[in-house]
Amino acid sequence: MTYLSRVRMNPLRAASRNLLANPRALHAAVLGGLPDPTADERILWRLDNDNPHRPHLLVLTRSRPDWSHLVEQIGWPDADGEHAAVRDYAPLLAQIAVGREFAFRLTANPIQNTQTPDKPTTAQAKLLAERAKAGEKRGRGFRLAHRTAAAQLNWFLSRTGRWGFDVPGVRSDPAAPGIRDLARPDEATETGRPPWDPNPPYEVRITARNRHSVQKNLKGAPVVFHSATFEGRLLVTDTELFKAGLLGGIGPSKAYGCGLLTLAPLPKG
């Protein structure tokens, strides 16, 4: 079984302010909702903060969770309404078929791997010098964040095929003459870098972009990553790949709230 949960958060409570500011602490609180999580269970979560006065926590789990501790710490335990909705995910999975279209939301960590960073950090420069001294022509690549909206959009659009879906073109009039479309990966230039357009003619947009700094321990350097939230319309092209992305997550930094792809019916009309 798989379950999708939605937990209301009261941002005025001290515990909520701590979790909203600390993805690592929020991940620990999510794990606390499962009495006996298995080592191979992939837990996906996302913080939806469209309305900062009424944020919501979404969590996808294989086993049925209990969010009583979160409701007591960060919610409105004595108020009316459904504090923590838990829904069986099977009915949604049964709707997945090639050609089906959905509205979607995804918060992801767009990254690239490179052997030669343009502006290496002190640690990267030291490692590159050590490799050069040892005569190593190639080594493990460096994971670098895409920091601009254009690069993040290109990262997303160039990978939809491997995730089992496509993003259709916008249903509107053609762009005015001289407006350059965002190139697909097979249209890349000789450098391997497509001409990025911050306003691609596809049914997707970035609704939030954030830089996160997570302190793992008192001595080590913080983990820094960049996230982008994508919203739009998608069309399923491969059911197995698509379900794998839904259940296993998309991209890195899943423990820090990235990778959960959620679907909704398309608005009528």
Side-chain angles (χ1 to χ4, degrees):
M1 297 292 289
T2 304
Y3 300 90
L4 181 64
S5 303
R6 188 170 184 260
V7 183
R8 297 193 302 177
M9 298 181 66
N10 182 349
L12 298 181
R13 304 189 72 167
S16 293
R17 291 196 296 270
N18 176 54
L19 296 184
L20 289 169
N22 189 337
R24 187 165 182 263
L26 187 49
H27 175 64
V30 167
L31 292 178
L34 301 175
D36 189 24
T38 60
D40 63 341
E41 178 170 3
R42 168 62 69 187
I43 300 172
L44 300 173
W45 64 272
R46 186 181 75 222
L47 182 64
D48 281 355
N49 204 17
D50 309 61
N51 181 350
H53 302 292
R54 295 293 184 271
H56 288 85
L57 173 66
L58 280 78
V59 188
L60 188 70
T61 60
R62 289 186 189 174
S63 54
R64 187 177 181 86
D66 180 359
W67 305 116
S68 301
H69 68 296
L70 283 180
V71 173
E72 293 174 357
Q73 295 173 17
I74 67 174
W76 291 271
D78 298 322
D80 292 335
E82 193 172 25
H83 305 292
V86 180
R87 301 288 185 264
D88 185 354
Y89 213 48
L92 173 64
L93 295 176
Q95 298 179 41
I96 304 303
V98 173
R100 284 295 305 271
E101 292 187 340
F102 298 92
F104 76 90
R105 174 178 284 188
L106 167 71
T107 295
N109 176 16
I111 62 165
Q112 60 178 319
N113 288 305
T114 179
Q115 295 287 332
T116 55
D118 293 335
K119 297 179 180 179
T121 63
T122 301
Q124 291 170 350
K126 180 179 178 181
L127 182 56
L128 288 171
E130 292 175 351
R131 289 177 180 176
K133 185 176 181 180
E136 298 180 15
K137 294 184 178 181
R138 295 185 63 84
R140 184 177 178 181
F142 298 100
R143 177 179 287 187
L144 303 179
H146 287 300
R147 300 185 181 184
T148 67
Q152 291 167 345
L153 273 170
N154 183 74
W155 174 90
F156 175 78
L157 289 170
S158 65
R159 287 162 173 78
T160 56
R162 71 180 68 173
W163 299 327
F165 66 90
D166 193 14
V167 175
V170 295
R171 297 173 178 175
S172 61
D173 295 333
I179 300 298
R180 174 172 47 80
D181 291 348
L182 173 68
R184 288 292 192 177
D186 56 356
E187 300 170 350
T189 62
E190 293 181 358
T191 63
R193 298 179 179 178
W196 291 327
D197 187 336
N199 298 295
Y202 303 112
E203 289 276 12
V204 60
R205 63 190 181 120
I206 292 178
T207 59
R209 302 173 58 240
N210 294 286
R211 178 185 183 275
H212 308 268
S213 180
V214 182
Q215 189 69 45
K216 297 188 66 173
N217 53 60
L218 296 177
K219 297 182 180 180
V223 175
V224 177
F225 68 97
H226 296 254
S227 67
T229 298
F230 304 90
E231 292 185 14
R233 179 169 62 96
L234 63 77
L235 182 145
V236 180
T237 57
D238 186 303
T239 56
E240 295 305 314
L241 287 176
F242 190 67
K243 289 181 180 179
L246 283 175
L247 298 174
I250 290 176
S253 301
K254 297 180 180 69
Y256 296 139
C258 297
L260 176 58
L261 174 67
T262 54
L263 307 176
L266 287 170
K268 294 182 180 181

